Amino acid sequence: MNIHEYQAKAILKQNGVNIQEGLTAETADEAVAAAKELQKQTGTGWWVLKAQIHAGGRGKGGGVKLAKSLDEVHQLATEMIGMQLVTHQTGPEGKKVRKILIAQDVYYPGPSEKKEYYMSVLLNRETGKNTIMYSAEGGVDIEEVADKTPELIFKEEIDPGTGVLPFQARKIAFNLGLEGQAFKEMTRFVAALYRAYVAVDASLFEINPVLKTTDDKIMAVDAKVNLDDNALFRHPDLADMRDLNEEDATETEAGKNNLNFVKLDGNVGCMVNGAGLAMATMDIIKLSGGEPANFLDVGGGANAETVEAGLKIILSDPAVKAVLINVFGGIVRCDRVASGVVEAYKNLGNIKVPVIVRLQGTNAEEGKAVIDNSGLKVRSAITLKEAADIVKEVV
Ligand code: GDP
Ligand code: MN
């Protein structure tokens, strides 16, 4: 699960990370009130307005703007709230901005140079440790840095048993070229960021940019978090941060029905029981010249309701040209699944695309008979090869 920048910053602050302070608003008037309140709290006279969407690259897309007066706050907020923000991460249709963050300007002039760094903590599945990835080339697209100048990105492996050791925090601050006050602040920043990452069971906590202000403070200007869905039960407060506006509507619907669903870009919808079989089915679809429109695992206890819910979700995608249902009858009997398909087909009505059902396992022949005798435009198959040939015919 992903959360917004303002929510991630609240987590950082709780764990002792310095942040660019801010308040959220959903209207231009609220934005002005927030700006005044921030002025009281921080003394700032300039503010940045930041679109709260689940995507990066907002700066380049016009989702981060500096305001130098309250009038400007009002004007920029009016423009930003409700806009369809397009960044390199949103796709061409963009995302609607419903909320903005009014933050204190932290790029003010001062005695030393300001500088932007990159830092993230992420799970390293290969070593079973956490990795702190960091670079002095922050503020920009880190993928590009990784691509063109990988030597500018450093990695520090952190043993989850010990956490960040003091020498590791100092090594990071040193490699970033810091001295004096900024060096000290960076070591504290590293420890606090790692603490935040562990506290919320994140799989990624990314800060880009980490800013060294012109008076040598180190702070998080941006924040991106991926929370581990499997740990969400431990964090009801975080689960409440879910913003359904930012998630794929069909994936949300699937979640309600306990279906494992991931939307893809192809034209053949598939419904399968078991994740391994689902992967194999997607391969078969590709080999037949189609592209899977989704991954959908209905799980072990497939019944009429789950089949119907799954079919409905698949058919709601206008790109779908055919549906392949591939079920192995182990615990669940094939004739029961077949009845479920027939019932779902009748209930949904007006299905315009071919539906291919391949049943194998317990009562496979009986299941095929149920499909064949239903009088519906459902094609049945017993072997995967037969199913693949039908898919080839229809896509
Ligand atoms: P992203 O583009 O979605 O990654 O959004 P960020 O929060 O990283 O902001 C993008 C850029 O906006 C930063 O790299 C800065 O250059 C700029 N920015 C962010 N905060 C401030 C601020 O307080 N003052 C000024 N002048 N610029 C800022
Ligand atoms: Mn950023």
Side-chain angles (χ1 to χ4, degrees):
M1 183 181 124
N2 295 335
I3 54 176
H4 286 293
E5 173 196 0
Y6 77 92
Q7 295 164 324
K9 280 179 166 170
I11 294 169
L12 290 174
K13 193 174 175 180
Q14 276 165 22
N15 287 281
V17 181
N18 263 337
I19 57 162
Q20 174 193 39
E21 293 287 349
L23 296 165
T24 59
E26 290 179 22
T27 65
D29 288 341
E30 278 176 29
V32 171
K36 284 183 185 159
E37 178 59 31
L38 270 179
Q39 190 161 33
K40 242 194 266 167
Q41 287 175 15
T42 68
T44 189
W46 289 4
W47 304 265
V48 269
L49 281 70
K50 310 183 80 177
Q52 297 300 289
I53 57 167
H54 285 189
R58 296 165 302 166
K60 280 187 198 148
V64 179
K65 292 255 167 84
L66 182 68
K68 299 183 179 176
S69 68
L70 290 172
D71 280 347
E72 233 181 317
V73 170
H74 194 275
Q75 191 202 328
L76 290 172
T78 307
E79 286 166 20
M80 203 179 277
I81 297 168
M83 84 184 279
Q84 204 70 21
L85 179 57
V86 180
T87 82
H88 68 277
Q89 289 184 3
T90 60
E93 71 284 359
K95 278 193 167 167
K96 187 174 175 163
V97 179
R98 295 163 203 270
K99 201 178 262 194
I100 59 173
L101 177 66
I102 322 297
Q104 61 172 153
D105 168 44
V106 286
Y107 286 57
Y108 46 79
S112 73
E113 277 297 303
K114 73 165 172 12
K115 184 140 178 42
E116 293 180 319
Y117 305 96
Y118 171 91
M119 190 173 298
S120 61
V121 188
L122 63 155
L123 181 65
N124 186 340
R125 291 173 201 277
E126 272 168 39
T127 59
K129 292 182 179 173
N130 296 308
T131 302
I132 297 181
M133 222 199 280
Y134 61 103
S135 176
E137 301 301 306
V140 289
D141 207 353
I142 198 68
E143 281 79 16
E144 206 177 306
V145 180
D147 203 33
K148 296 199 176 126
T149 47
E151 69 279 7
L152 298 179
I153 297 180
F154 297 96
K155 287 177 187 162
E156 186 69 26
E157 291 281 294
I158 310 297
D159 190 316
T162 58
V164 182
L165 296 170
F167 87 90
Q168 293 180 300
R170 287 197 298 271
K171 183 168 144 198
I172 291 170
F174 179 81
N175 281 340
L176 289 173
L178 295 167
E179 296 171 337
Q181 176 66 20
F183 182 100
K184 245 189 245 161
E185 285 228 3
M186 183 59 86
T187 59
R188 268 184 243 135
F189 184 94
V190 170
L193 174 60
Y194 185 83
R195 203 180 308 138
Y197 165 87
V198 172
V200 296
D201 288 315
S203 52
L204 170 77
F205 217 129
E206 180 183 69
I207 314 296
N208 190 25
V210 176
L211 180 73
K212 179 178 83 69
T213 63
T214 51
D215 48 0
D216 283 342
K217 292 197 186 91
I218 301 292
M219 63 170 70
V221 166
D222 194 7
K224 178 187 166 176
V225 188
N226 293 346
L227 298 170
D228 181 350
D229 287 355
N230 293 317
L232 270 184
F233 74 97
R234 310 202 313 169
H235 308 282
D237 51 328
L238 298 177
D240 285 345
M241 289 181 178
R242 172 160 259 143
D243 183 350
L244 292 178
N245 288 320
E246 296 285 337
E247 299 188 10
D248 187 272
T250 49
E251 290 187 11
T252 306
E253 182 64 27
K256 278 192 214 147
N257 290 289
N258 282 325
L259 301 169
N260 243 320
F261 177 86
V262 181
K263 163 115 185 59
L264 302 168
D265 295 331
N267 53 7
V268 182
C270 45
M271 177 153 52
V272 188
N273 64 338
L277 188 59
M279 300 303 277
T281 305
M282 288 162 58
D283 285 349
I284 290 290
I285 288 171
K286 278 203 159 211
L287 283 175
S288 310
E291 281 288 334
N294 66 280
F295 170 98
L296 174 56
D297 174 9
V298 295
N303 56 36
E305 283 84 54
T306 48
V307 169
E308 185 171 335
L311 209 49
K312 207 159 144 189
I313 289 164
I314 291 174
L315 292 170
S316 69
D317 179 355
V320 167
K321 296 279 174 290
V323 180
L324 173 59
I325 301 176
N326 186 13
V327 170
F328 177 76
I331 296 168
V332 58
R333 297 189 335 249
C334 291
D335 54 323
R336 230 186 97 200
V337 175
S339 311
V341 172
V342 170
E343 213 175 299
Y345 199 99
K346 284 182 184 154
N347 285 345
L348 289 173
N350 200 24
I351 295 180
K352 298 209 175 66
V353 300
V355 176
I356 304 137
V357 186
R358 180 258 177 174
L359 297 166
Q360 186 58 278
T362 312
N363 290 1
E365 297 290 342
E366 287 87 340
K368 185 172 185 319
V370 170
I371 301 282
D372 290 343
N373 299 331
S374 69
L376 300 174
K377 276 196 303 185
V378 182
R379 310 270 300 264
S380 64
I382 293 276
T383 69
L384 207 43
K385 171 83 172 57
E386 284 165 13
D389 287 344
I390 306 177
V391 171
K392 206 176 277 179
E393 243 175 71
V394 297
V395 295

